[in-house]
Amino acid sequence: MLKLSEQVYSAMRTHGEETYPHECCGVLLGRSEGDVNCVEDAVRAGNTRTDSAHNRYNIAPQELVKIQRQGRERGLDIVGFYHSHPDHPAQWSKTDFAEAHWLGCSYVITSVQKGRATVTNSFLLTGSGEDDKAFLDEALEVERCSVAAL
Amino acid sequence: MKIHIPTPLRVYAGKQDSVSVNATTVGEALGQLTEEHPDLKKHLYSEDGKLRAFVNVYLNDEDIRYLPAKDSTPVSEADSLSIIPSIAGGAPVMEEATALPELSTAEMARYSRHLILPEVGMEGQQRLKAAKVLCVGTGGLGAPLAFYLAAAGIGTLGLVDFDVVDESNLQRQIIHSTKDVGRPKIDSAADKLSALNPHMKIVKHETMLTSQNALDIIKDYDIVADGTDNFPTRYLVNDACVLSGKPNAYGSIFRFEGQASVFATEEGPCYRCLYPEPPPPGLVPSCAEGGVLGILPGLVGIIQATEVIKLILGKGDPLIGRLLLVDSLGMKFRELKLRKNPECPVCGTNPTVTKLIDYDQFCGIQPAAAPAAVLNGIEQITPMDLKRRLDAKDDVFVLDVREPYEFQIASMGGHLIPLNDLPKRVSELDASREIVVHCKMGGRSQKAAEFLKQNGFTKVQNLAGGINAWSAEIDPTVPKY
Ligand SMILES: [Zn+2]
Ligand SMILES: [Zn+2]
């Protein structure tokens, strides 16, 4: 399950509306507690795909290193990622799957139709490696996490 | 030092978020990590022992792939290593919508030597058929490049050229033949390519690539192969590729040496990361001025073609982040490591070039103005005016200041005194007569005219554009060289 606050939930969706018709992307910081990924913060990342940003996203590893470090300083881990699908359903694509390597993390996708965020879904990347990895539909619970948003 | 483990890999590292090691180099640190936690190994490295493509390891803020000393980079206790799997994806647009095109029986027969290579196979050949490649230029590099790409089965090949075939091209531009002299290169090239492979689609862009049309032309292609021979177009192709996210299989040649690389990929550097600024105009002569070994573009163009094919197949190690230097006299191939420059004006983190600019101006090239009538006090005469005067049987003495071997190639009947011999042979000239000085293109003769003027010759003129302009405008039987 993915738990996140109303603020984080709407921050991801607003991000997708802002970058429409391009894809947005970002990192979810929080804690992994058993089967639950609990998100404390959504950090926006620059989409480094300038070529086909309407249907591709990519987060520069350098930026990821930085976000991970900032998270560490706040006692938070990377527990997932989010991106938008402009004018496409909130379902993972072949590319999303091929390029997903963070096993145990949640991949959140928001469909942005004509500039408005519609459906938001989360998928958990399961498995033990590249050979047996799989995306599982994951429940998404919008509520207050164990630490109140500051 | 500390090695930070990302969430997905912690189960293989005793559930720790970081592992402390005691190491003096990056390689040692990673070695200790995988020794202590052997399960991590297969997640970080592929079977051949290379770091997996989607795994990035950062020493502080630097990707270790780009550290000059790589694994041998020294580390201290204060440093930290971060293991970062990559993050990317995309909406289901292209790859799922367009299935790969089928091969016909004739195509299967044609490509059978590819089909039995596991690295190509049916899927690879279908990828080649689906691919759209743009060749900028059909000259020295473009000729072998386009030829081999056509033979290999690229489905759509775009050609950009506006030049016509000249006799002097045939020494290296093997796609054109003797009967094509005077024809547009693009037509000549398209004929040869469709004769070689009738299964492919050829798109002709008979135009000069400019800042106005480049993005529009490039947008329909997957990969660009740059076979241009001048700096403004090279920067234009680079920037257009970076801005539109298309890889650029680059090659260039000069005299006996060549270079090749793959620029403007997502992870790799671009031409501007290597050369942020063009050389001052005139410093690096073009092939027309400096000469080129005819075989060399064959060698370099085929390296470009190889890179294009590899990029399409997704096989092998592309020349991304590597500059291959070809020395044909020594027959040596060397390699320079290139890295993406974070400050690069076009592909860096804060790019200042976000649309195409005026590349002639960037390269310091003045727009072609009407030739000056007087240069440094020397009157310039056009070939047309000289012809009029000669036809009118005016008393004009034509002085040729080129080298004897040039005189052998082409002459317009002038009196030959090579520029360097002029001071000691000046007595051969009559200061009372009108003298028109010429060389190949007008540069050396200008110097000669200035020298004569300083030595009391008052009636000296320089033939603008030299014997080549004479050949182009007045007498085509005089060979251009
Ligand atoms: Zn996606
Ligand atoms: Zn660059």
Side-chain angles (χ1 to χ4, degrees):
Chain A
M1 190 185 0
L2 183 72
K3 275 193 184 181
L4 58 164
S5 67
E6 179 63 44
Q7 287 98 316
V8 169
Y9 181 73
S10 56
M12 291 189 302
R13 293 165 55 89
T14 315
H15 191 193
E17 292 179 345
E18 282 173 24
T19 58
Y20 180 90
H22 297 306
E23 287 200 8
C24 73
C25 50
V27 180
L28 301 174
L29 292 176
R31 289 188 188 87
S32 210
E33 294 159 358
D35 296 345
V36 184
N37 281 329
C38 198
V39 181
E40 298 288 342
D41 200 0
V43 183
R44 292 183 174 204
N47 186 354
T48 60
R49 282 299 287 254
T50 45
D51 49 340
S52 41
H54 59 288
N55 60 8
R56 286 285 182 279
Y57 78 95
N58 179 60
I59 303 178
Q62 222 161 342
E63 195 171 2
L64 219 47
V65 172
K66 212 177 290 168
I67 294 172
Q68 184 174 257
R69 186 184 311 133
Q70 287 161 357
R72 209 157 46 229
E73 281 157 10
R74 298 163 58 192
L76 302 175
D77 268 330
I78 292 179
V79 295
F81 305 93
Y82 70 90
H83 73 281
S84 63
H85 279 182
D87 297 319
H88 277 277
Q91 271 300 324
W92 52 270
S93 68
K94 234 187 194 170
T95 317
D96 286 336
F97 180 69
E99 305 270 1
H101 310 293
W102 287 68
L103 300 163
C105 283
S106 300
Y107 285 73
V108 178
I109 301 175
T110 298
S111 170
V112 182
Q113 301 286 342
K114 298 199 177 79
R116 298 292 311 258
T118 58
V119 182
T120 297
N121 286 327
S122 183
F123 305 93
L124 181 67
L125 187 67
T126 60
S128 64
E130 289 301 301
D131 304 329
D132 68 343
K133 69 179 182 182
F135 266 140
L136 291 188
D137 291 1
E138 183 183 41
L140 195 144
E141 199 177 296
V142 182
E143 59 155 43
R144 206 165 283 265
C145 270
S146 49
V147 174
L150 298 172
Chain B
M1 74 179 302
K2 264 190 178 166
I3 304 179
H4 297 291
I5 312 294
T7 28
L9 295 181
R10 286 184 196 156
V11 281
Y12 310 107
K15 304 224 164 124
Q16 307 174 76
D17 57 6
S18 69
V19 173
S20 291
V21 293
N22 211 330
T24 56
T25 66
V26 168
E28 225 180 280
L30 292 172
Q32 276 185 35
L33 175 72
T34 48
E35 205 167 294
E36 229 173 285
H37 303 284
D39 290 345
L40 270 177
K41 203 160 188 171
K42 79 173 169 76
H43 292 276
L44 298 180
Y45 298 97
S46 54
E47 264 127 56
D48 56 1
K50 276 194 193 151
L51 210 52
R52 286 183 183 271
F54 59 82
V55 175
N56 304 295
V57 179
Y58 273 68
L59 174 61
N60 306 319
D61 286 322
E62 299 264 9
D63 189 331
I64 62 163
R65 287 189 181 96
Y66 296 128
L67 292 173
K70 303 261 167 182
D71 276 7
S72 327
T73 307
V75 293
S76 73
E77 190 48 41
D79 290 323
S80 69
L81 281 172
S82 302
I83 296 169
I84 294 285
S86 67
I87 283 299
V93 180
M94 293 180 300
E95 81 271 27
E96 275 133 89
T98 53
L100 288 172
E102 296 292 322
L103 298 186
S104 67
T105 331
E107 285 174 305
M108 287 201 227
R110 175 179 286 258
Y111 306 123
S112 62
R113 300 298 186 279
H114 266 168
L115 298 176
I116 56 178
L117 279 178
E119 289 76 5
V120 184
M122 183 58 88
E123 196 195 321
Q125 194 64 49
Q126 287 176 293
R127 279 185 196 285
L128 295 175
K129 184 172 179 177
K132 303 188 182 90
V133 179
L134 182 69
C135 290
V136 185
T138 60
L141 294 168
L145 178 57
F147 241 152
Y148 269 101
L149 289 180
I154 298 295
T156 306
L157 200 56
L159 306 173
V160 186
D161 214 315
F162 64 99
D163 223 351
V164 293
V165 180
D166 185 88
E167 196 105 40
S168 68
N169 298 151
L170 303 178
Q171 163 252 23
R172 62 196 177 283
Q173 303 181 10
I174 54 163
I175 206 165
H176 311 298
S177 43
T178 309
K179 68 169 169 46
D180 297 312
V181 169
R183 273 184 88 192
K185 283 189 178 175
I186 203 161
D187 292 338
S188 158
D191 284 357
K192 309 304 163 12
L193 296 174
S194 44
L196 171 62
N197 191 343
H199 302 289
M200 73 186 308
K201 186 172 157 206
I202 296 166
V203 184
K204 296 196 261 185
H205 304 278
E206 190 168 6
T207 170
M208 193 165 167
L209 201 68
T210 65
S211 305
Q212 284 71 45
N213 64 20
L215 291 176
D216 200 45
I217 291 177
I218 287 177
K219 76 171 185 334
D220 296 326
Y221 296 90
D222 308 317
I223 298 177
V224 177
D226 178 10
T228 54
D229 58 356
N230 63 80
F231 288 99
T233 320
R234 196 167 292 153
Y235 279 97
L236 167 63
V237 171
N238 178 72
D239 291 3
C241 283
V242 173
L243 294 177
S244 45
K246 315 275 179 173
N248 171 10
Y250 154 85
S252 73
I253 45 168
F254 180 61
R255 292 190 175 150
F256 295 96
E257 283 165 41
Q259 304 184 338
S261 190
V262 171
F263 291 127
T265 58
E266 210 177 314
E267 331 81 75
C270 77
Y271 184 71
R272 284 208 201 221
C273 293
L274 174 62
Y275 300 115
E277 300 271 320
L283 185 71
V284 181
S286 68
C287 288
E289 297 157 56
V292 63
L293 182 71
I295 291 156
L296 183 64
L299 201 53
V300 176
I302 284 166
I303 292 170
Q304 291 176 270
T306 312
E307 291 307 302
V308 169
I309 301 284
K310 279 161 56 189
L311 289 173
I312 296 167
L313 296 176
K315 288 286 181 309
D317 269 332
L319 275 176
I320 296 170
R322 298 186 287 148
L323 181 71
L324 186 70
L325 302 174
V326 179
D327 162 15
S328 66
L329 277 186
M331 203 43 96
K332 285 202 177 87
F333 291 73
R334 284 193 305 134
E335 194 179 300
L336 295 183
K337 289 271 166 285
L338 302 180
R339 50 174 305 175
K340 199 179 176 91
N341 176 6
E343 291 224 309
C344 173
V346 61
C347 80
T349 26
N350 293 304
T352 51
V353 176
T354 52
K355 57 181 200 291
L356 298 177
I357 57 170
D358 181 335
Y359 291 89
D360 279 337
Q361 193 186 41
F362 177 63
C363 295
I365 291 165
Q366 307 297 332
V374 177
L375 190 63
N376 279 347
I378 303 295
E379 207 179 313
Q380 309 287 309
I381 184 168
T382 64
M384 188 55 86
D385 285 341
L386 177 61
K387 168 135 174 40
R388 266 190 222 113
R389 303 219 37 203
L390 292 172
D391 288 348
K393 302 269 186 279
D394 286 355
D395 179 37
V396 179
F397 181 80
V398 179
L399 173 66
D400 182 347
V401 294
R402 298 171 305 151
E403 299 299 315
Y405 75 88
E406 297 180 86
F407 189 83
Q408 276 178 7
I409 299 169
S411 147
M412 47 188 282
H415 181 79
L416 181 68
I417 304 179
L419 179 62
N420 289 334
D421 296 345
L422 198 53
K424 59 176 189 273
R425 291 175 59 186
V426 74
S427 58
E428 289 171 33
L429 303 175
D430 180 352
S432 70
R433 290 180 68 182
E434 270 194 64
I435 300 176
V436 172
V437 196
H438 85 83
C439 60
K440 181 185 177 186
M441 292 163 91
R444 283 170 288 170
S445 52
Q446 172 70 20
K447 286 204 188 92
E450 288 173 21
F451 168 81
L452 290 174
K453 196 172 173 219
Q454 281 161 16
N455 286 276
F457 291 77
T458 49
K459 295 189 277 186
V460 188
Q461 292 179 308
N462 180 33
L463 178 64
I467 193 170
N468 273 2
W470 179 263
S471 161
E473 292 169 35
I474 307 297
D475 185 359
T477 67
V478 173
K480 245 201 267 180
Y481 65 98

